[in-house]
Amino acid sequence: MATSLQSLAWIAGDWRFSSDDRLVEETWMQPRGGIMLGMSRTVVAGVAREFEFLFLRERDGEIHYVARPSGQLETVFRLVSSRGNEAVFENLDHDFPQRILYRLNPDGSLLAAIEGEVRGNLKRIEFPYQPA
C-alpha cells in the first residue's frame, strides 16, 4: 500500500482520450507539499460539457482522492489498494462512482476507471488515456 504521495507520482502528467467527437483530458501535477493537484475536462463537438478539479492529499496517515466535478460539492475517496503502478480509491457511501482506479500500463498509457453500483448493477466507465 502507498505510504506517501511520492509513491503515486506515476499519475502525474498530461493525459488524453478521444473517440468520435469526444475529447477527455486530465492533467496531474507532481506531488509537492503533501498534495497533487489535477483537473480534467470533457469536450464534445467543440463544447466543454464537463470539468473537474481534483487533488490527492495525505491526511492522518491516509491518502485521499478529492473530486469536485463541474462545480458540485467535493467528494472524498480513500486509498484502499496500491501496488506497483495501480491505485484504487473508494467511498462506498457515494452514489456513483464508489471506486476510482488508476493504472499505468507498461506501454506508458494510463487507464483510469470509475465504477460502482447503480440500481443494483455494476457500472464501470473506462478512460484509456494516452500521454498528451
Side-chain angles (χ1 to χ4, degrees):
M1 179 83 104
T3 56
S4 72
L5 281 182
Q6 195 58 46
S7 64
L8 299 175
W10 50 267
I11 295 173
D14 296 318
W15 306 97
R16 72 178 356 177
F17 158 68
S18 63
S19 70
D20 300 322
D21 62 350
R22 181 175 175 235
L23 171 67
V24 182
E25 298 171 295
E26 190 164 318
T27 298
W28 284 94
M29 296 173 73
Q30 288 288 333
R32 202 166 328 287
I35 194 170
M36 285 179 72
L37 296 175
M39 61 185 162
S40 73
R41 69 177 164 197
T42 300
V43 176
V44 179
V47 177
R49 299 289 183 192
E50 299 173 1
F51 63 90
E52 191 166 18
F53 297 107
L54 310 160
F55 63 95
L56 294 173
R57 69 178 179 211
E58 293 180 57
R59 180 175 282 176
D60 301 325
E62 295 184 334
I63 296 176
H64 298 141
Y65 181 106
V66 182
R68 184 175 288 169
S70 297
Q72 299 175 35
L73 295 176
E74 72 181 32
T75 302
V76 178
F77 298 82
R78 185 175 57 88
L79 180 68
V80 294
S81 172
S82 175
R83 60 183 196 278
N85 290 338
E86 182 173 292
V88 179
F89 303 88
E90 192 172 76
N91 179 340
L92 297 178
D93 294 327
H94 190 248
D95 54 1
F96 182 85
Q98 286 101 36
R99 277 173 300 290
I100 300 171
L101 167 121
Y102 283 88
R103 182 180 68 226
L104 184 64
N105 296 313
D107 67 359
S109 64
L110 181 74
L111 175 67
I114 57 175
E115 63 181 27
E117 285 196 25
V118 176
R119 293 187 285 284
N121 296 311
L122 179 65
K123 178 179 180 180
R124 180 178 170 102
I125 301 171
E126 293 187 346
F127 303 89
Y129 290 124
Q130 296 295 322

